[in-house]
Amino acid sequence: MDKVEKVIGIRFREGGKTYHFDPGPWDVHKGDYVVVHTEQGIGLGEVMEGPFVKNPDLHPKDIKPIERPASPEEIEKHFDNMRYEEEAEKFCLERIQALELPMNLVDVECFFDRSKIIFYFTADTRVDFRELVKDLVRRFRTRVELRQIGMRNQAKMVGGLGTCGRALCCATFLRSFHPVSIKMAKEQNLSLNPGKISGACGRLMCCLQYEYEVYRQYKQGMPKLGKKVDTPKGRGKVIRQNVMDRTITVLLESGEEFEIAYGPLPDETDTGPPCRRQGRAPSPVCQESSEATDLREEDDEKEEGF
């Protein structure tokens, strides 16, 4: 009988990315600390997921195994490093203020063996921090790196609450960032008010992409808002869309409102989506006029964030 391969998810820093490892022969569970080999050398991380059966569709064929469960002494050293990072952060903030540097310190990361300390910061312009690096090297007697990060990464490290009232997605379960554009908000008929579609980082909310593909699918064959269409009751303009029900409301030239249902998606039924009035049998063919453009046409304008 083939041996079942297992996978565990390990996180090295609070709010950091979760990496998958092979637990090997060790019996480790969520909340345990393990020692692994990383690109930076020996690292100690906390098990956040699993163990669960390896999925060939999600995980690579070869997954690095953990070295072993961490000893009590190594766990204590891990917490000592966390206190060391707090000390380094406090000293760095003092030097930034003394040198009047236009930068915002976000986080400090110390390698497990303290061979290197990384200071993460944000800044609006290029910063000359050579004097700061000298002060940090003199104080901690180790390799020092200052790494500038973006606003999204700052929010991921700092954490917080979103407009939905829940913890930020980037600080909880998102492992990596994906491009988010104004087009995603437009496709979902959301207000383009920056205050309503921007996250704590000031950029477009990551959750705009969650339902984007669903809206694209459900809008197939439906005319855009403001487009002129021909209906069985005359010509009119689309004034409302109900994407989930796949219906539109058309304001006729006579002033009457006329609702048209497009039915299920083509791949959900053997017949094409009927164009009918809600609650009645399918009405005659309803097509957009020559002034209307197909929904799948790309906008001429460049789609980008604020």
Side-chain angles (χ1 to χ4, degrees), residues 15-146:
K17 183 177 179 180
T18 300
Y19 299 87
H20 289 134
F21 285 84
D22 182 353
W26 308 103
D27 183 24
V28 292
H29 301 277
K30 185 176 181 180
D32 293 341
Y33 288 90
V34 297
V35 176
V36 299
H37 281 286
T38 68
E39 295 179 355
Q40 292 80 26
I42 291 294
L44 187 144
E46 181 181 0
V47 178
M48 304 301 297
E49 301 174 351
F52 48 83
V53 178
K54 179 180 177 181
N55 186 342
D57 296 330
L58 299 177
H59 306 115
K61 183 178 180 181
D62 297 322
I63 297 182
K64 292 178 61 176
I66 65 172
E67 182 71 17
R68 53 181 167 78
S71 66
E73 293 76 17
E74 289 170 328
I75 296 176
E76 181 60 31
K77 182 179 179 181
H78 171 68
F79 286 102
D80 283 342
N81 285 343
M82 293 175 66
R83 291 187 283 270
Y84 185 69
E85 290 171 351
E86 292 178 359
E87 177 187 348
E89 181 177 4
K90 181 179 179 181
F91 178 79
C92 185
L93 285 172
E94 292 174 354
R95 298 312 304 155
I96 289 175
Q97 294 177 0
L99 296 171
E100 299 182 348
L101 297 176
M103 57 190 293
N104 176 35
L105 184 64
V106 176
D107 198 10
V108 178
E109 178 183 0
C110 172
F111 285 11
F112 184 70
D113 58 1
R114 297 193 182 182
S115 61
K116 184 178 182 180
I117 305 179
I118 303 177
F119 295 84
Y120 298 93
F121 72 95
T122 59
D124 295 330
T125 58
R126 188 178 181 85
V127 181
D128 183 0
F129 46 69
R130 287 175 293 184
E131 289 300 322
L132 175 62
V133 172
K134 293 178 182 178
D135 292 342
L136 294 173
V137 172
R138 280 195 295 265
R139 173 66 176 79
F140 299 105
R141 300 295 179 181
T142 188
R143 294 167 57 203
V144 171
E145 177 184 346
L146 271 73

